[in-house]
Amino acid sequence: MREETYTSTEKSYLAGESIQDAQFRAMNEEYEASDTPQGAWNKLPYWDREERPGDFEVYEFLTTTQVTRVSPPYTRSSK
């Protein structure tokens, strides 16, 4: 039986006050990740970007998804 596997890797950037803050922003739909570090910086609210720039850093998120078909043995439901 041949194995079927799909793997994808996505790189995105988010700005935050810390790694934990950037992770929170990544999980919150209110914040949108960017394809570039500059884009992530530009997506900060004006006040944070212009008045408190020393409080924020840009973080790179690398997300890898791997899906593999699982071969039996597993139980199929009986009808």
Side-chain angles (χ1 to χ4, degrees):
M1 187 172 270
R2 83 174 204 264
E3 183 176 306
E4 294 179 44
T5 301
Y6 168 78
T7 303
S8 70
T9 302
E10 180 180 320
K11 189 183 294 188
S12 60
Y13 300 89
L14 277 155
E17 294 183 68
S18 64
I19 289 175
Q20 292 81 9
D21 182 45
Q23 285 178 313
F24 170 79
R25 289 169 183 252
M27 292 183 281
N28 190 329
E29 291 180 10
E30 180 181 336
Y31 301 98
E32 186 179 338
S34 180
D35 293 340
T36 65
Q38 184 64 53
W41 185 259
N42 292 343
K43 287 183 179 187
L44 279 172
Y46 175 83
W47 175 257
D48 294 336
R49 186 179 64 244
E50 299 297 326
E51 302 296 329
R52 302 182 337 150
D55 294 344
F56 291 88
E57 298 290 336
V58 174
Y59 297 91
E60 177 184 273
F61 287 78
L62 187 61
T63 305
T64 302
T65 302
Q66 181 174 341
V67 180
T68 304
R69 183 176 56 83
V70 179
S71 299
Y74 52 83
T75 308
R76 295 180 186 218
S77 61
S78 59
K79 293 182 180 181

